[in-house]
Amino acid sequence: MTKLLLTTALAALATGAAAQDRQLQLYNWGDYTSPEMIEKFEAETGIDVTITDYDSNDTALAKISAGGHGFDLVVPSAHMVPVYVEQGLIQELDLSKLPNHANIAPEWVDVDWDPGRRYTIPWQWGSTAVAVNTSAYSGDINTSDVIFHPPAELEGKINVVPEMSDVMALAILNQGGELCTEDLDVLKRVRDMLMDAKPHWLSMDYDSEAKLSANDIMAALTWNGPTMRARLNNPPVQYGYPKEGYPLWMDSVALLSDAQNVDEAYEFLNFIMAPENAALISNFARYANGITGSEEFMDPEMRDAPEIVIPEEFKANGHFLPTCPPSANDLYTRIWTELQS
Amino acid sequence: MQEAAVRSLLIATTAAVASTAVATLAALGTARQGRFRGRTAIYALINQPLMVPEIVTAVSLLIVFGVIRSSTGYQGLGYLMLAHSAFCIPFAYLPIRARLENMDRTLELAAADLYATPVQAFRRITLPLLMPGIIAGAMLAFVISLDDVVITEFVKSAGQDTLATYMLGQFRRTLTPEVNAISAVLLAITLALLTAFFLITRKRA
């Protein structure tokens, strides 16, 4: 053990100096990168990929803006991309080095946060909505009322994901407000509704998947990926798309301005836009990826899963979360703090 | 995951050794020299990591190390080792100082009386009597380093996840048996060391 520690110590201390073979530093959300996809990329290119985890957009932004981080690629959420661009933290892509750029599905090219996809490449996208165990509740599940005004059948059997922006967005849409609203009348109603609803919930944590699978809870405000995994374990679990509106999100890969391994990063970006490789990413984390033709390489149970492929009639109700101004976020934080205490 | 575990142990060992060495010197300096100007200031400085919120330390270190990284290009484990050693000092310092204050000074005086040089008196008398405090301090520092999340998350360079930050990254998905297993092992190590810490400090007290 001592010997192992010592050799690792020497290797670790020397990292800065050692001239390595081709390598790539990916800074991504924890448990989000398909190991199978990375192995395939390493085998094909001989590039050694190191993955480092982060747990929030804020941590990632703080580390990257401090400089000297050593990362090449980062995977921010949609509303963070303009911040990275404004601060000059990510560089414009040379599309001539990315022949697979044409594979980006048309609806994901001209997105608000990066028109023409000049800075970012789609990684995965999904939605935040409601999951209901239909053996416990047979009413309409395409409404956020199942969480905010829970029916008697779901009383005390609800888990809510502790993500402020998602919960606030669903609550504001439920009250007919606009995303990022600072209208105090709307926010007053949102606050009252959340405070009234909370006693009917069981918990606020990230573990909806296991709890839905085990029938510990009968409804959840959660993401589509965990709901799909729960349904595969426990078929009565269904995903509802609230008619009042629900938030969509997308995480995209960006090339950092101070990346050390730029050529390797381009190879990686091009690699993940090949449909068969994008499918590997989706198969691991169970979210859609925004690359045309990747569906046929996905696991069969994902291809037409109603959690992954949004049914046509519900598509219009999905809204991307814009970057809210700090004044709006301050108001939301106050409501959120009250809700959590 | 295995790499993260080895990395955690490596950092914790380094931090325990380094912080205990500094803490021992600090304890000798502050508890043995009588009152002197600036002693209170030195106490405050040594115990600063206990008073300042961890996130403040983390962000400050992030900025300082960011500048160093940019100018030197060094990306190794040194930053994490340095940061952990620094915030572990007060945890190692407190048991050592408690031990020193309860130690009978006449033993050292007797040694000096019998023509022991200060170095001999320190090596033969003070250090052996201080050992339980030093071991207890080192173990406490080891555990604190092993458990740290906030500072590590901000200071780590590319590819330097420790067990604690690895676990944090897993939390947004469902808890895997793997995470449960790591937690159980970490809890066992912590409990074992804390029990040993308790037994060592209690002995002869």
Side-chain angles (χ1 to χ4, degrees):
Chain A
M1 193 63 197
T2 328
K3 205 171 173 189
L4 177 64
L5 279 175
L6 270 175
T7 32
T8 324
L10 290 174
L13 282 166
T15 319
Q20 295 251 347
D21 295 337
R22 303 187 72 199
Q23 53 163 332
L24 179 68
Q25 297 287 353
L26 173 64
Y27 192 33
N28 198 355
W29 298 84
D31 205 20
Y32 205 37
T33 316
S34 157
E36 198 186 340
M37 183 271 291
I38 295 294
E39 275 164 30
K40 186 178 172 203
F41 177 73
E42 289 181 330
E44 279 183 18
T45 60
I47 295 170
D48 188 21
V49 182
T50 308
I51 301 163
T52 311
D53 293 349
Y54 57 83
D55 64 304
S56 72
N57 277 310
D58 312 292
T59 310
L61 181 65
K63 282 198 76 137
I64 284 165
S65 46
H69 42 74
F71 301 120
D72 300 314
L73 295 167
V74 67
V75 192
S77 300
H79 66 277
M80 299 299 285
V81 171
V83 181
Y84 278 87
V85 174
E86 276 163 32
Q87 298 191 11
L89 298 172
I90 57 178
Q91 51 180 293
E92 194 169 347
L93 298 170
D94 178 355
L95 299 189
S96 68
K97 291 185 186 166
L98 297 170
N100 286 340
H101 198 270
N103 292 345
I104 300 178
E107 71 261 39
W108 295 116
V109 176
D110 275 318
V111 287
D112 292 342
W113 65 89
D114 182 13
R117 287 283 178 182
R118 291 178 303 121
Y119 287 93
T120 62
I121 300 300
W123 177 262
Q124 294 192 91
W125 68 274
S127 55
T128 314
V130 298
V132 177
N133 186 320
T134 49
S135 66
Y137 176 67
S138 52
D140 181 16
I141 63 165
N142 291 308
T143 167
S144 44
D145 282 344
V146 291
I147 304 293
F148 297 133
H149 301 106
E153 295 94 318
L154 300 176
E155 172 80 33
K157 295 170 187 163
I158 297 172
N159 182 44
V160 172
V161 69
E163 289 278 339
M164 182 181 87
S165 54
D166 287 328
V167 176
M168 284 302 293
L170 271 162
I172 288 170
L173 291 168
N174 182 285
Q175 286 299 316
E178 284 179 15
L179 293 175
C180 290
T181 185
E182 295 178 48
D183 183 332
L184 292 181
D185 289 336
V186 174
L187 291 178
K188 174 97 176 49
R189 292 206 306 275
V190 164
R191 182 234 164 244
D192 292 346
M193 176 179 76
L194 288 173
M195 294 309 287
D196 289 346
K198 197 191 171 191
H200 305 287
W201 301 344
L202 176 68
S203 49
M204 289 181 80
D205 65 41
Y206 286 108
D207 208 11
S208 290
E209 180 188 337
K211 290 179 171 176
L212 282 168
S213 302
N215 283 332
D216 288 342
I217 55 169
M218 292 300 166
L221 191 165
T222 185
W223 297 303
N224 56 332
T227 310
M228 181 196 154
R229 294 192 295 262
R231 174 176 56 83
L232 293 175
N233 297 331
N234 189 4
V237 173
Q238 299 289 322
Y239 193 59
Y241 292 94
K243 55 178 176 286
E244 302 87 357
Y246 58 90
L248 294 171
W249 50 264
M250 179 177 241
D251 297 327
S252 306
V253 198
L255 176 57
L256 291 162
S257 300
D258 42 5
Q260 304 288 315
N261 307 296
V262 176
D263 292 338
E264 289 79 3
Y266 273 107
E267 277 188 54
F268 185 80
L269 291 174
N270 200 48
F271 178 85
I272 61 167
M273 287 187 288
E276 62 274 22
N277 302 328
L280 290 178
I281 300 178
S282 293
N283 286 342
F284 178 73
R286 301 291 183 190
Y287 292 111
N289 54 57
I291 299 297
T292 311
S294 65
E295 292 81 3
E296 58 177 299
F297 298 98
M298 286 188 196
D299 293 341
E301 72 264 24
M302 278 192 78
R303 242 171 265 162
D304 21 59
E307 299 89 356
I308 309 297
V309 186
I310 303 179
E312 204 57 50
E313 70 259 44
F314 302 127
K315 268 191 178 166
N317 300 333
H319 306 279
F320 263 95
L321 285 179
T323 317
C324 295
S327 48
N329 275 327
D330 286 348
L331 292 168
Y332 299 173
T333 306
R334 277 164 58 190
I335 298 176
W336 187 248
T337 311
E338 195 180 352
L339 183 68
Q340 295 245 301
S341 56
Chain B
M1 213 260 310
Q2 222 167 350
E3 284 174 25
V6 173
R7 204 174 286 122
S8 273
L9 289 177
L10 187 64
I11 294 169
T13 311
T14 318
V17 171
S19 62
T20 311
V22 176
T24 307
L25 296 178
L28 286 168
T30 50
R32 270 290 183 262
Q33 304 303 324
R35 298 196 65 81
F36 57 91
R37 273 176 77 89
R39 199 169 77 150
T40 328
I42 288 177
Y43 277 146
L45 186 68
I46 292 170
N47 290 320
Q48 178 260 0
L50 294 176
M51 315 290 177
V52 178
E54 233 190 322
I55 185 75
V56 174
T57 313
V59 172
S60 322
L61 287 175
L62 172 69
I63 296 168
V64 175
F65 288 157
V67 174
I68 301 176
R69 282 194 178 106
S70 307
S71 50
T72 62
Y74 174 71
Q75 293 285 2
L77 268 185
Y79 299 109
L80 274 178
M81 290 175 170
L82 198 62
H84 279 234
S85 303
F87 74 71
C88 284
I89 289 173
F91 296 97
Y93 171 78
L94 293 176
I96 298 175
R97 191 172 146 231
R99 180 91 201 155
L100 257 182
E101 283 179 347
N102 292 329
M103 201 189 281
D104 193 350
R105 261 209 108 151
T106 51
L107 292 170
E108 286 169 29
L109 294 176
D113 215 29
L114 295 168
Y115 296 102
T117 63
V119 174
Q120 280 174 326
F122 176 75
R123 282 192 46 197
R124 300 279 181 83
I125 308 294
T126 318
L127 200 57
L129 285 172
L130 200 53
M131 225 10 133
I134 294 178
I135 293 172
M139 286 194 305
L140 204 55
F142 184 85
V143 171
I144 297 288
S145 161
L146 204 60
D147 289 349
D148 181 72
V149 175
V150 179
I151 293 177
T152 314
E153 181 73 10
F154 279 87
V155 170
K156 71 181 182 190
S157 304
Q160 292 183 349
D161 277 308
T162 64
L163 265 188
T165 62
Y166 174 81
M167 285 169 66
L168 182 70
Q170 307 287 310
F171 277 159
R172 287 168 66 91
R173 276 179 60 175
T174 201
L175 289 184
T176 56
E178 194 185 42
V179 170
N180 291 338
I182 305 172
S183 310
V185 171
L186 278 181
L187 190 66
I189 294 177
T190 310
L191 276 180
L193 286 177
L194 284 181
T195 312
F197 168 79
F198 178 71
L199 291 176
I200 288 173
T201 44
R202 201 186 54 162
K203 213 166 68 179
R204 288 181 286 175

